Amino acid sequence: MKTLLLPVTPESIKKAARLIRQGELVGMPTETVYGLAADATNETAVKSIFAAKGRPQDNPLIVHICDLAMLNGLAAQIPEAAKRLAQAFWPGPFTMILKKSPAVLDVVTAGMDTVAIRFPSHPAALALIRESGRPIAAPSANLSGKPSPTKAEHVYEDLNGKIPLILDGGECAVGLESTVVTVSEDTVRVLRPGGVTVDDLKRVVPHVEVDSAVLHQLEEGRKAASPGMKYKHYAPKAKVVIIDGPLPAFYEYALRHKEGNTYCMVFEGEQTDAPLPCLTYGGEEDEASQARSLFDCLRRFDELGADTVFARSPATDGVGLAVYNRLLRAAAFQVVTL
Ligand code: TXA
Ligand code: MG
């Protein structure tokens, strides 16, 4: 199959919507990361998402909507707190897990009795959902296990030849996947941190909990609240190690422990006079810029043929929690504290 890469225009949106209605897959820009979009009401189309990505069958998908009316056919009930959260964070990088309506296909939810729903803010995603007239099931548009795509070229790298069309909407504004939460009465539990932060949530709902899987490796045998969190994710081919400590000690450690083609992943400005080759991933005090460049940076280490990557440890407040959560998985939870 030849994969077209088209800029977002009214014509390319129409073409993409036609493909969606025909049960095909489309690479779709969103404000978080690129999604691999299919008609959520078409079982064959949804199955082909799993095949194209090599995604484990037990990992459910997020359903994307373009207005609140679309919720009706998807969620069986919407708690009061969920309504307030929707009001505050939709459209945007925010996903809620709700009791599913019987109409939602089992392939979408991997047999769970809940469904993850997101109302994205990216104009191209909204136009595609509206034009196709369907709720859109879309995981991140990477091959399973690779860093999520934040540029159309990343989608092309992973899925060229497997899907007919990728809409190129440029670089994603957030750069990390949406915040995923469950809601019960007045408590919100964060399963995956993202662009909507814990502090943002606390402004709307009195009790916000962060699932232990966000910062800790799942214990053997424990069931993941969010199946996606149990996989080694976002992983470049290189061995990644996070080093928490001052910059001089960081470089000293990296030099002493270098193995094969070794790189450092540091903050803007820290690469000057570095004893090893470096890539930067945003400013030390600027978590949003770290979020935007993290996945692209991890992909570039693959291109460079890196064997070992030593990464500076980000602060974990604000969006930093999401950055650290993704980096921890890329590093398979290997952290050295100096
Ligand atoms: O920003 C995003 O959320 C992107 C864009 C494309 O919207 N999508 C995305 O999808 O990151 P994906 O499939 O890569 O990640 C979805 C996460 C997975 O960890 C999955 O296990 C979890 O959401 N999830 C989906 N449905 C769930 C459910 N019913 N219960 C618990 N977790 C669920
Ligand atoms: Mg993903």
Side-chain angles (χ1 to χ4, degrees):
M1 181 185 293
K2 188 165 160 27
T3 301
L4 271 178
L5 191 61
L6 295 178
V8 174
T9 60
E11 292 71 40
S12 67
I13 294 278
K14 279 209 176 69
K15 186 178 175 66
R18 212 160 41 233
L19 286 166
I20 293 286
R21 283 194 301 269
Q22 289 164 1
E24 302 279 352
L25 305 183
V26 172
M28 162 182 83
T30 86
E31 71 278 23
T32 57
V33 300
Y34 277 75
L36 181 57
D39 176 355
T41 66
N42 179 332
E43 186 168 4
T44 316
V46 175
K47 278 190 177 152
S48 64
I49 289 180
F50 289 86
K53 277 184 63 102
R55 182 180 175 102
Q57 301 283 342
D58 66 348
N59 195 1
L61 304 175
I62 296 174
V63 178
H64 298 69
I65 58 176
C66 64
D67 54 50
L68 290 176
M70 263 181 149
L71 259 183
N72 293 330
L74 299 168
Q77 78 207 45
I78 302 157
E80 213 34 62
K83 286 182 191 155
R84 290 209 305 280
L85 291 162
Q87 177 88 37
F89 304 119
W90 278 350
F94 182 66
T95 298
M96 274 195 285
I97 304 211
L98 300 169
K99 281 263 169 299
K100 86 174 189 92
S101 119
V104 181
L105 296 172
D106 275 342
V107 266
V108 171
T109 63
M112 296 174 88
D113 59 359
T114 52
V115 60
I117 301 188
R118 179 156 104 84
F119 181 166
S121 64
H122 196 293
L126 291 173
L128 179 57
I129 304 167
R130 198 168 296 124
E131 186 78 27
S132 61
R134 308 279 205 283
I136 298 273
S140 49
N142 51 288
L143 287 177
S144 214
K146 291 249 275 168
S148 293
T150 55
K151 296 175 177 174
E153 300 87 82
H154 296 160
V155 183
Y156 193 81
E157 249 168 55
D158 282 13
L159 298 173
N160 178 27
K162 293 186 168 183
I163 60 175
L165 175 64
I166 300 164
L167 293 175
D168 186 350
E171 243 180 276
C172 298
V174 179
L176 298 178
E177 308 87 341
S178 61
T179 304
V180 176
V181 306
T182 56
V183 189
S184 66
E185 312 220 337
D186 57 356
T187 303
V188 166
R189 172 178 289 269
V190 177
L191 303 186
R192 180 177 75 181
V196 170
T197 66
V198 170
D199 285 336
D200 293 335
L201 293 167
K202 281 185 180 157
R203 281 194 277 276
V204 180
V205 175
H207 305 291
V208 180
E209 293 169 357
V210 176
D211 195 88
S212 66
V214 165
L215 290 179
H216 303 280
Q217 198 156 15
L218 204 65
E219 286 157 43
E220 203 72 49
R222 201 184 138 231
K223 200 165 163 275
S226 181
M229 295 303 257
K230 72 175 180 246
Y231 299 106
K232 182 179 169 189
H233 232 180
Y234 318 115
K237 294 185 193 110
K239 178 176 107 178
V240 178
V241 182
I242 302 170
I243 301 176
D244 188 7
L247 187 64
F250 169 92
Y251 280 133
E252 235 169 73
Y253 183 95
L255 268 180
R256 258 188 296 124
H257 293 84
K258 78 198 258 302
E259 258 183 78
N261 197 3
T262 302
Y263 287 85
C264 293
M265 189 173 146
V266 298
F267 300 120
E268 231 73 79
E270 295 181 345
Q271 72 276 31
T272 338
D273 302 328
L276 286 164
C278 292
L279 291 182
T280 62
Y281 80 113
E284 182 169 16
E285 309 285 327
D286 183 356
E287 291 86 20
S289 72
Q290 294 162 16
R292 273 196 303 277
S293 48
L294 178 69
F295 286 146
D296 184 54
C297 192
L298 291 175
R299 278 178 182 262
R300 282 167 59 203
F301 286 123
D302 279 351
E303 286 163 23
L304 291 164
D307 297 306
T308 311
V309 173
F310 293 108
R312 293 273 283 148
S313 190
T316 55
D317 41 317
V319 183
L321 181 65
V323 176
Y324 192 58
N325 167 270
R326 306 311 191 273
L327 192 53
L328 265 177
R329 278 161 178 78
F333 292 89
Q334 275 220 71
V335 183
V336 174
T337 308
L338 298 176

